[in-house]
PDB file of all heavy atoms in Angstrom:
ATOM      1  N   LYS A  24       6.598  15.241  10.118  1.00 92.00           N
ATOM      2  CA  LYS A  24       6.006  16.162  10.971  1.00 92.00           C
ATOM      3  C   LYS A  24       6.524  16.024  12.551  1.00 92.00           C
ATOM      4  O   LYS A  24       6.940  16.930  13.215  1.00 92.00           O
ATOM      5  CB  LYS A  24       4.476  16.157  11.112  1.00 92.00           C
ATOM      6  CG  LYS A  24       3.901  16.634   9.803  1.00 92.00           C
ATOM      7  CD  LYS A  24       2.332  16.472   9.796  1.00 92.00           C
ATOM      8  CE  LYS A  24       1.789  16.945   8.425  1.00 92.00           C
ATOM      9  NZ  LYS A  24       0.333  16.790   8.606  1.00 92.00           N
ATOM     10  N   ILE A  25       6.697  14.778  12.991  1.00 90.00           N
ATOM     11  CA  ILE A  25       7.238  14.429  14.270  1.00 90.00           C
ATOM     12  C   ILE A  25       8.584  14.948  14.351  1.00 90.00           C
ATOM     13  O   ILE A  25       8.944  15.486  15.472  1.00 90.00           O
ATOM     14  CB  ILE A  25       7.162  12.974  14.579  1.00 90.00           C
ATOM     15  CG1 ILE A  25       5.652  12.603  14.841  1.00 90.00           C
ATOM     16  CG2 ILE A  25       7.985  12.592  15.852  1.00 90.00           C
ATOM     17  CD1 ILE A  25       5.457  11.093  14.972  1.00 90.00           C
ATOM     18  N   TYR A  28       8.667  18.875  14.468  1.00 88.00           N
ATOM     19  CA  TYR A  28       8.189  19.513  15.692  1.00 88.00           C
ATOM     20  C   TYR A  28       8.905  19.093  16.857  1.00 88.00           C
ATOM     21  O   TYR A  28       8.879  19.619  18.060  1.00 88.00           O
ATOM     22  CB  TYR A  28       6.647  19.068  16.103  1.00 88.00           C
ATOM     23  CG  TYR A  28       5.715  19.897  15.266  1.00 88.00           C
ATOM     24  CD1 TYR A  28       4.825  19.167  14.214  1.00 88.00           C
ATOM     25  CD2 TYR A  28       5.485  21.191  15.353  1.00 88.00           C
ATOM     26  CE1 TYR A  28       3.903  19.772  13.572  1.00 88.00           C
ATOM     27  CE2 TYR A  28       4.486  21.877  14.549  1.00 88.00           C
ATOM     28  CZ  TYR A  28       3.732  21.206  13.617  1.00 88.00           C
ATOM     29  OH  TYR A  28       2.870  21.861  12.881  1.00 88.00           O
ATOM     30  N   GLY A  29       9.867  18.072  16.723  1.00 87.00           N
ATOM     31  CA  GLY A  29      10.723  17.678  17.773  1.00 87.00           C
ATOM     32  C   GLY A  29       9.993  16.894  18.873  1.00 87.00           C
ATOM     33  O   GLY A  29      10.410  16.896  20.048  1.00 87.00           O
ATOM     34  N   ILE A  30       8.833  16.273  18.523  1.00 86.00           N
ATOM     35  CA  ILE A  30       8.124  15.508  19.419  1.00 86.00           C
ATOM     36  C   ILE A  30       8.819  14.267  19.977  1.00 86.00           C
ATOM     37  O   ILE A  30       8.792  14.066  21.219  1.00 86.00           O
ATOM     38  CB  ILE A  30       6.751  15.171  18.888  1.00 86.00           C
ATOM     39  CG1 ILE A  30       5.885  16.438  18.632  1.00 86.00           C
ATOM     40  CG2 ILE A  30       5.908  14.314  19.788  1.00 86.00           C
ATOM     41  CD1 ILE A  30       4.617  16.295  17.883  1.00 86.00           C
ATOM     42  N   ILE A  31       9.461  13.578  19.091  1.00 87.00           N
ATOM     43  CA  ILE A  31      10.117  12.365  19.464  1.00 87.00           C
ATOM     44  C   ILE A  31      11.496  12.605  18.627  1.00 87.00           C
ATOM     45  O   ILE A  31      11.607  12.815  17.524  1.00 87.00           O
ATOM     46  CB  ILE A  31       9.577  11.105  18.824  1.00 87.00           C
ATOM     47  CG1 ILE A  31       8.221  10.772  19.561  1.00 87.00           C
ATOM     48  CG2 ILE A  31      10.553   9.858  19.131  1.00 87.00           C
ATOM     49  CD1 ILE A  31       7.610   9.597  19.116  1.00 87.00           C
ATOM     50  N   VAL A  48       7.699   6.386  26.310  1.00 91.00           N
ATOM     51  CA  VAL A  48       7.978   7.136  25.061  1.00 91.00           C
ATOM     52  C   VAL A  48       6.688   7.933  24.565  1.00 91.00           C
ATOM     53  O   VAL A  48       6.703   9.174  24.245  1.00 91.00           O
ATOM     54  CB  VAL A  48       8.409   6.346  23.894  1.00 91.00           C
ATOM     55  CG1 VAL A  48       8.651   7.068  22.678  1.00 91.00           C
ATOM     56  CG2 VAL A  48       9.817   5.672  24.336  1.00 91.00           C
ATOM     57  N   LEU A  49       5.609   7.238  24.604  1.00 92.00           N
ATOM     58  CA  LEU A  49       4.291   7.681  24.231  1.00 92.00           C
ATOM     59  C   LEU A  49       3.890   8.881  25.108  1.00 92.00           C
ATOM     60  O   LEU A  49       3.590  10.098  24.772  1.00 92.00           O
ATOM     61  CB  LEU A  49       3.170   6.764  24.114  1.00 92.00           C
ATOM     62  CG  LEU A  49       1.754   7.292  23.825  1.00 92.00           C
ATOM     63  CD1 LEU A  49       1.731   7.810  22.560  1.00 92.00           C
ATOM     64  CD2 LEU A  49       0.807   6.115  24.062  1.00 92.00           C
ATOM     65  N   LEU A  50       4.098   8.695  26.406  1.00 94.00           N
ATOM     66  CA  LEU A  50       3.738   9.711  27.409  1.00 94.00           C
ATOM     67  C   LEU A  50       4.725  10.889  27.448  1.00 94.00           C
ATOM     68  O   LEU A  50       4.127  12.127  27.551  1.00 94.00           O
ATOM     69  CB  LEU A  50       3.814   9.050  28.889  1.00 94.00           C
ATOM     70  CG  LEU A  50       2.698   7.976  29.160  1.00 94.00           C
ATOM     71  CD1 LEU A  50       2.958   7.393  30.523  1.00 94.00           C
ATOM     72  CD2 LEU A  50       1.396   8.555  28.978  1.00 94.00           C
ATOM     73  N   GLU A  51       5.903  10.614  27.148  1.00 93.00           N
ATOM     74  CA  GLU A  51       6.871  11.748  27.089  1.00 93.00           C
ATOM     75  C   GLU A  51       6.592  12.568  25.860  1.00 93.00           C
ATOM     76  O   GLU A  51       6.465  13.904  25.979  1.00 93.00           O
ATOM     77  CB  GLU A  51       8.316  11.260  26.770  1.00 93.00           C
ATOM     78  CG  GLU A  51       9.418  12.398  26.771  1.00 93.00           C
ATOM     79  CD  GLU A  51      10.789  11.784  26.677  1.00 93.00           C
ATOM     80  OE1 GLU A  51      10.975  10.885  25.753  1.00 93.00           O
ATOM     81  OE2 GLU A  51      11.578  12.323  27.396  1.00 93.00           O
ATOM     82  N   ALA A  52       6.129  12.029  24.647  1.00 91.00           N
ATOM     83  CA  ALA A  52       5.663  12.730  23.572  1.00 91.00           C
ATOM     84  C   ALA A  52       4.346  13.683  23.887  1.00 91.00           C
ATOM     85  O   ALA A  52       4.362  14.777  23.481  1.00 91.00           O
ATOM     86  CB  ALA A  52       5.429  11.728  22.350  1.00 91.00           C
ATOM     87  N   LEU A  53       3.586  12.929  24.558  1.00 92.00           N
ATOM     88  CA  LEU A  53       2.325  13.683  24.889  1.00 92.00           C
ATOM     89  C   LEU A  53       2.602  14.832  25.700  1.00 92.00           C
ATOM     90  O   LEU A  53       2.014  15.976  25.605  1.00 92.00           O
ATOM     91  CB  LEU A  53       1.392  12.689  25.666  1.00 92.00           C
ATOM     92  CG  LEU A  53       0.012  13.259  25.940  1.00 92.00           C
ATOM     93  CD1 LEU A  53      -0.794  13.770  24.893  1.00 92.00           C
ATOM     94  CD2 LEU A  53      -0.798  12.161  26.624  1.00 92.00           C
ATOM     95  N   LEU A  54       3.488  14.632  26.795  1.00 92.00           N
ATOM     96  CA  LEU A  54       3.911  15.785  27.569  1.00 92.00           C
ATOM     97  C   LEU A  54       4.535  16.900  26.804  1.00 92.00           C
ATOM     98  O   LEU A  54       4.382  18.060  27.104  1.00 92.00           O
ATOM     99  CB  LEU A  54       4.748  15.389  28.734  1.00 92.00           C
ATOM    100  CG  LEU A  54       4.092  14.389  29.813  1.00 92.00           C
ATOM    101  CD1 LEU A  54       5.127  13.847  30.796  1.00 92.00           C
ATOM    102  CD2 LEU A  54       2.993  15.232  30.690  1.00 92.00           C
ATOM    103  N   HIS A  55       5.248  16.526  25.807  1.00 89.00           N
ATOM    104  CA  HIS A  55       5.976  17.512  25.097  1.00 89.00           C
ATOM    105  C   HIS A  55       4.938  18.327  24.170  1.00 89.00           C
ATOM    106  O   HIS A  55       5.032  19.627  24.104  1.00 89.00           O
ATOM    107  CB  HIS A  55       7.017  16.796  24.033  1.00 89.00           C
ATOM    108  CG  HIS A  55       7.737  17.730  23.311  1.00 89.00           C
ATOM    109  ND1 HIS A  55       8.879  18.417  23.655  1.00 89.00           N
ATOM    110  CD2 HIS A  55       7.546  18.232  21.934  1.00 89.00           C
ATOM    111  CE1 HIS A  55       9.361  19.164  22.774  1.00 89.00           C
ATOM    112  NE2 HIS A  55       8.538  18.997  21.623  1.00 89.00           N
ATOM    113  N   VAL A  56       3.938  17.734  23.721  1.00 89.00           N
ATOM    114  CA  VAL A  56       2.863  18.480  23.023  1.00 89.00           C
ATOM    115  C   VAL A  56       2.006  19.306  24.025  1.00 89.00           C
ATOM    116  O   VAL A  56       1.818  20.531  23.645  1.00 89.00           O
ATOM    117  CB  VAL A  56       1.921  17.461  22.360  1.00 89.00           C
ATOM    118  CG1 VAL A  56       0.692  18.191  21.844  1.00 89.00           C
ATOM    119  CG2 VAL A  56       2.704  16.708  21.191  1.00 89.00           C
ATOM    120  N   ILE A  57       1.850  18.800  25.163  1.00 90.00           N
ATOM    121  CA  ILE A  57       1.017  19.726  26.080  1.00 90.00           C
ATOM    122  C   ILE A  57       1.887  20.806  26.598  1.00 90.00           C
ATOM    123  O   ILE A  57       1.314  21.842  26.625  1.00 90.00           O
ATOM    124  CB  ILE A  57       0.691  18.868  27.411  1.00 90.00           C
ATOM    125  CG1 ILE A  57      -0.336  17.830  26.999  1.00 90.00           C
ATOM    126  CG2 ILE A  57       0.326  19.713  28.555  1.00 90.00           C
ATOM    127  CD1 ILE A  57      -0.514  16.664  28.114  1.00 90.00           C
ATOM    128  N   ASP A  58       3.190  20.699  26.788  1.00 89.00           N
ATOM    129  CA  ASP A  58       4.068  21.803  27.087  1.00 89.00           C
ATOM    130  C   ASP A  58       3.963  22.875  25.950  1.00 89.00           C
ATOM    131  O   ASP A  58       4.111  24.095  26.254  1.00 89.00           O
ATOM    132  CB  ASP A  58       5.428  21.379  27.287  1.00 89.00           C
ATOM    133  CG  ASP A  58       5.790  20.632  28.589  1.00 89.00           C
ATOM    134  OD1 ASP A  58       4.822  20.814  29.524  1.00 89.00           O
ATOM    135  OD2 ASP A  58       6.748  20.070  28.756  1.00 89.00           O
ATOM    136  N   ARG A  59       3.873  22.481  24.719  1.00 86.00           N
ATOM    137  CA  ARG A  59       3.920  23.427  23.555  1.00 86.00           C
ATOM    138  C   ARG A  59       2.523  24.136  23.566  1.00 86.00           C
ATOM    139  O   ARG A  59       2.563  25.206  23.260  1.00 86.00           O
ATOM    140  CB  ARG A  59       4.156  22.650  22.262  1.00 86.00           C
ATOM    141  CG  ARG A  59       5.506  22.187  22.074  1.00 86.00           C
ATOM    142  CD  ARG A  59       5.568  21.636  20.751  1.00 86.00           C
ATOM    143  NE  ARG A  59       6.937  21.935  20.323  1.00 86.00           N
ATOM    144  CZ  ARG A  59       7.176  22.403  19.036  1.00 86.00           C
ATOM    145  NH1 ARG A  59       6.282  22.548  18.200  1.00 86.00           N
ATOM    146  NH2 ARG A  59       8.506  22.702  18.626  1.00 86.00           N
ATOM    147  N   LEU A  60       1.422  23.447  23.824  1.00 88.00           N
ATOM    148  CA  LEU A  60       0.196  24.051  23.931  1.00 88.00           C
ATOM    149  C   LEU A  60      -0.191  24.910  25.128  1.00 88.00           C
ATOM    150  O   LEU A  60      -0.801  25.960  25.007  1.00 88.00           O
ATOM    151  CB  LEU A  60      -0.865  22.937  23.850  1.00 88.00           C
ATOM    152  CG  LEU A  60      -0.986  22.170  22.522  1.00 88.00           C
ATOM    153  CD1 LEU A  60      -2.007  21.047  22.713  1.00 88.00           C
ATOM    154  CD2 LEU A  60      -1.250  23.073  21.199  1.00 88.00           C
ATOM    155  N   GLU A  61       0.383  24.498  26.195  1.00 85.00           N
ATOM    156  CA  GLU A  61       0.140  25.207  27.598  1.00 85.00           C
ATOM    157  C   GLU A  61       1.641  25.463  28.056  1.00 85.00           C
ATOM    158  O   GLU A  61       1.915  24.780  29.225  1.00 85.00           O
ATOM    159  CB  GLU A  61      -0.762  24.349  28.425  1.00 85.00           C
ATOM    160  CG  GLU A  61      -2.126  24.139  27.942  1.00 85.00           C
ATOM    161  CD  GLU A  61      -2.802  23.128  28.761  1.00 85.00           C
ATOM    162  OE1 GLU A  61      -2.446  22.772  29.895  1.00 85.00           O
ATOM    163  OE2 GLU A  61      -4.014  22.832  28.483  1.00 85.00           O
ATOM    164  N   PRO A  62       2.210  26.410  27.697  1.00 74.00           N
ATOM    165  CA  PRO A  62       3.534  26.716  28.341  1.00 74.00           C
ATOM    166  C   PRO A  62       3.432  27.020  29.759  1.00 74.00           C
ATOM    167  O   PRO A  62       2.442  27.684  30.226  1.00 74.00           O
ATOM    168  CB  PRO A  62       4.143  27.861  27.461  1.00 74.00           C
ATOM    169  CG  PRO A  62       3.258  28.110  26.420  1.00 74.00           C
ATOM    170  CD  PRO A  62       1.984  27.264  26.647  1.00 74.00           C
ATOM    171  N   SER A  63       4.444  26.597  30.610  1.00 69.00           N
ATOM    172  CA  SER A  63       4.362  26.981  32.095  1.00 69.00           C
ATOM    173  C   SER A  63       4.592  28.357  32.181  1.00 69.00           C
ATOM    174  O   SER A  63       5.144  29.187  31.356  1.00 69.00           O
ATOM    175  CB  SER A  63       5.438  26.133  32.816  1.00 69.00           C
ATOM    176  OG  SER A  63       6.811  26.532  32.325  1.00 69.00           O
ATOM    177  N   ARG A  66       8.182  30.248  31.434  1.00 59.00           N
ATOM    178  CA  ARG A  66       8.633  30.399  30.009  1.00 59.00           C
ATOM    179  C   ARG A  66       7.923  31.289  29.170  1.00 59.00           C
ATOM    180  O   ARG A  66       6.768  31.520  29.286  1.00 59.00           O
ATOM    181  CB  ARG A  66       8.570  29.021  29.423  1.00 59.00           C
ATOM    182  CG  ARG A  66       9.691  27.940  29.970  1.00 59.00           C
ATOM    183  CD  ARG A  66       9.625  26.742  29.254  1.00 59.00           C
ATOM    184  NE  ARG A  66       8.377  25.980  29.499  1.00 59.00           N
ATOM    185  CZ  ARG A  66       7.986  24.968  28.732  1.00 59.00           C
ATOM    186  NH1 ARG A  66       8.714  24.524  27.770  1.00 59.00           N
ATOM    187  NH2 ARG A  66       6.912  24.326  29.215  1.00 59.00           N
TER     188      ARG A  66
END
Side-chain angles (χ1 to χ4, degrees):
K24 288 180 182 179
I25 288 171
Y28 285 116
I30 295 171
I31 296 176
V48 172
L49 177 63
L50 295 175
E51 183 179 44
L53 181 60
L54 289 172
H55 184 76
V56 170
I57 290 170
D58 285 345
R59 287 180 145 231
L60 294 174
E61 299 176 2
S63 65
R66 290 189 284 169

